[in-house]
Amino acid sequence: ATKLEISRRPLFLQFTDVTHDDLKQLAAAPSKSEVKRLLKECMKIDEAEGFRTEILADLHYHNYCFCVSHRFEAIKTSTLLSVMKRVLDEVFSKRLEVEAAFDICKDLLLKHGIERPPWSVGIFAFDDIKAIMDYVHDSFFRHYRLYTYAFMTHCELSFATDRQATSVALPVRRPQKLVPVEEVNPEDQPEFDYLFQPTEAQLAEQERQRLKAAADERSALIKRKVEEGVKKLIEEFEQKLQDQDDQFKTMMAT
C-alpha cells in the first residue's frame, strides 16, 4: 500500500467493507456459492479466476461462518471481516513473518475491544476477543506459510552462455594410475553425493519430521502470543474498572 492509501484508511473498520445491506444479502443468500460471491464483491477481490481467488473467498467465507456460529451482531461481523482483510493486505504487501502478522491482528482486535475514544472503540467484548484469538490461531495462522507461499510473487531466472567460435578446446589429460593406498570411499566424496541420495521414503520421513517440528514451534509461539495479548487485555480491562471505581468514589465523596 502507498503512503496515500495508508493515510486514507479509516481509523476504525466497522462497516468499511461490509455494510448493513451487504450483511442482509449475506444472511438471505440461499447457498454457499452465493455467500462467497457476495464476499468477493465486498472484499474487492481483484485476482483473476483461479486457485488464489478461491483461497481468498474460502478464507472470508470461513470468517463469516465463524461470526454466524457465534451469533455476532452486524457491527461485530463487519468489523472482524475487515480486520482479517487488513491483516491479509499487510501480510501480502510487506511479506511479513508470522510474528509480525499476529501482532497486527492482535493490535487491530484490541483497537476495537476497548471503549477509549479517540484511540479505540468497544465493539468486541473480552470473551469475543478470546474466541477470535483462538479461531485465528487454529485457522489462518496455523496455515500461515501456505497462504504466504500461494500469494507471494515468485521469479525464475534462466540464462545461457555463448561460446566464441574462435575458442580452442584444451587437450584432454590422461588419467593418472591409482594405487590401492590412494583409494577412498566414494560415499565420503561430496562430488558423488548425487549417486547416494536417500530414498523417497527417507526423504518423506525427513520432511515429515521437519514440518512437524516447524508446526510445533509455530504453535507454541502463537499460543504464547495469544496468552500475552489476553493477559495485556485483562490488565487494561481491570485498570479501566479500577479507574471507574475511583471516579465513582470521588463522585460519592463530593
Side-chain angles (χ1 to χ4, degrees):
T2 64
K3 292 183 177 179
L4 180 60
E5 290 173 340
I6 294 175
S7 65
R8 291 178 176 176
R9 285 179 173 176
L11 185 60
F12 304 115
L13 301 179
Q14 63 270 29
F15 301 119
T16 54
D17 298 297
V18 185
T19 64
H20 279 290
D21 292 337
D22 293 331
L23 289 171
K24 290 179 181 178
Q25 292 183 43
L26 288 168
S31 63
K32 174 181 177 180
S33 59
E34 180 64 13
V35 172
K36 290 172 65 175
R37 186 190 68 78
L38 292 170
L39 287 172
K40 286 181 185 179
E41 295 179 358
C42 295
M43 298 304 178
K44 299 178 177 60
I45 298 178
D46 56 0
E47 293 277 347
E49 288 297 329
F51 76 96
R52 287 188 176 185
T53 301
E54 288 303 313
I55 290 174
L56 284 177
D58 282 338
L59 178 61
H60 292 307
Y61 172 77
H62 289 299
N63 292 339
Y64 174 73
C65 289
F66 168 81
C67 297
V68 173
S69 65
H70 284 70
R71 298 183 179 181
F72 277 0
E73 302 167 3
I75 189 171
K76 293 181 180 181
T77 300
S78 173
T79 303
L80 179 57
L81 291 173
S82 293
V83 164
M84 293 307 297
K85 180 177 183 293
R86 177 72 63 83
V87 172
L88 287 173
D89 291 342
E90 294 292 323
V91 168
F92 298 148
S93 64
K94 299 180 180 179
R95 296 174 176 258
L96 299 178
E97 295 294 332
V98 63
E99 296 86 352
F102 184 80
D103 287 339
I104 290 176
C105 182
K106 179 186 67 177
D107 291 342
L108 286 172
L109 290 175
L110 293 177
K111 188 176 181 180
H112 294 82
I114 300 175
E115 189 65 34
R116 191 173 56 186
W119 297 280
S120 61
V121 292
I123 294 176
F124 296 116
F126 171 76
D127 290 339
D128 296 333
I129 292 181
K130 187 175 185 304
I132 293 170
M133 287 287 196
D134 291 338
Y135 165 70
V136 297
H137 170 265
D138 291 333
S139 56
F140 177 70
F141 289 105
R142 183 175 295 276
H143 306 289
Y144 185 82
R145 290 185 64 185
L146 293 177
Y147 284 110
T148 54
Y149 178 82
F151 287 92
M152 292 303 178
T153 301
H154 302 277
C155 297
E156 294 183 1
L157 177 65
S158 62
F159 65 93
T161 59
D162 184 15
R163 294 185 177 182
Q164 296 182 359
T166 57
S167 62
V168 178
L170 296 176
V172 178
R173 292 184 178 182
R174 293 184 178 181
Q176 296 285 342
K177 290 185 178 181
L178 297 178
V179 295
V181 71
E182 294 176 339
E183 292 185 2
V184 296
N185 186 353
E187 295 185 7
D188 297 334
Q189 305 308 306
E191 295 86 354
F192 301 137
D193 283 346
Y194 70 96
L195 296 175
F196 305 99
Q197 294 294 327
T199 64
E200 293 184 1
Q202 292 173 330
L203 290 174
E205 178 62 20
Q206 293 174 5
E207 181 65 11
R208 189 185 69 80
Q209 293 293 338
R210 185 187 67 80
L211 293 176
K212 183 177 182 299
D216 292 342
E217 182 180 354
R218 289 197 304 275
S219 296
L221 176 62
I222 293 174
K223 183 178 180 181
R224 186 172 70 254
K225 290 287 187 179
V226 170
E227 292 174 350
E228 291 174 357
V230 172
K231 181 180 178 182
K232 179 181 178 182
L233 183 61
I234 292 175
E235 291 175 353
E236 292 179 352
F237 185 72
E238 291 178 347
Q239 182 61 43
K240 179 181 177 182
L241 292 178
Q242 183 62 42
D243 293 343
Q244 291 177 349
D245 291 343
D246 294 342
Q247 184 179 5
F248 181 74
K249 290 178 180 178
T250 303
M251 292 174 60
M252 295 296 295
T254 57

